[in-house]
Amino acid sequence: MALTESMKLILTSAIKDWTKFAVERERLTLAANELAVITRKVIHECILFLKTSNIDVQCDSPDAMKILGVDVHIDPLIEANFPVVKASVVLKCSGATRSILVNSNMTISAGGNVVTFDELRKSIPASFATNAADFVRDSFLFVLRGAKEE
């Protein structure tokens, strides 16, 4: 049996939907990875500041940071369940957790005002930096209180 035109149309539509999903997943994955790199740099600066006050931190690079011996995790997260793709960057240390959302229109939601990737690449908005400092403070306090890593 040969495929009819209506059968081909149905299958072509499915292929188009899948292709659109795959492109969106790749685009948001790249964005989340870039956002994680930027976020690590901002968090690294905050942890370096703690070090100036003789706080026990390890921050030789933005890829390996610890506060009082507890790892700081800053990881991109992609939830791709056809047809929806959600991207974020998750920050965790002890009991402190934050999520930065990557919206499909390539804006970032990190508390405060929504910013575009272009704005974030040019300079770190004050609200983004403040949220990073809040996360480092919360991490430090959770570790001091003896919270364990999850």
Side-chain angles (χ1 to χ4, degrees):
M1 174 180 132
L3 290 178
T4 66
E5 286 306 311
S6 62
M7 293 167 72
K8 289 179 184 177
L9 220 66
I10 290 169
L11 296 173
T12 300
S13 176
I15 292 167
K16 285 180 183 177
D17 290 344
W18 171 255
T19 302
K20 180 180 173 186
F21 170 78
V23 167
E24 183 71 356
R25 182 182 59 200
E26 180 65 19
R27 185 175 74 94
L28 290 178
T29 297
L30 291 171
N33 288 335
E34 181 181 356
L35 179 58
V37 168
I38 292 168
T39 303
R40 283 185 197 110
K41 290 177 183 175
V42 175
I43 296 296
H44 184 249
E45 290 297 318
C46 292
I47 293 175
L48 281 172
F49 181 79
L50 291 179
K51 190 173 188 167
T52 65
S53 294
N54 295 318
I55 304 295
D56 178 20
V57 296
Q58 293 158 322
C59 53
D60 294 334
S61 81
D63 295 320
M65 298 177 284
K66 291 184 179 191
I67 297 174
L68 301 172
V70 178
D71 289 321
V72 177
H73 300 277
I74 302 169
D75 302 308
L77 176 65
I78 304 300
E79 297 175 46
N81 297 309
F82 183 81
V84 178
V85 180
K86 295 179 183 178
S88 61
V89 172
V90 177
L91 294 74
K92 289 184 181 183
C93 179
S94 186
T97 335
R98 297 284 190 290
S99 290
I100 305 169
L101 304 178
V102 179
N103 303 310
S104 60
N105 65 355
M106 298 309 285
T107 60
I108 310 301
S109 299
N113 298 331
V114 174
V115 298
T116 66
F117 258 96
D118 289 338
E119 291 170 330
L120 191 62
R121 287 177 187 123
K122 290 177 187 172
S123 70
I124 303 301
S127 62
F128 192 92
T130 300
N131 285 333
D134 283 341
F135 168 74
V136 172
R137 179 207 55 213
D138 291 352
S139 298
F140 179 60
L141 294 175
F142 269 106
V143 174
L144 285 174
R145 292 181 187 126
K148 302 293 180 208
E149 270 194 275
E150 296 177 13

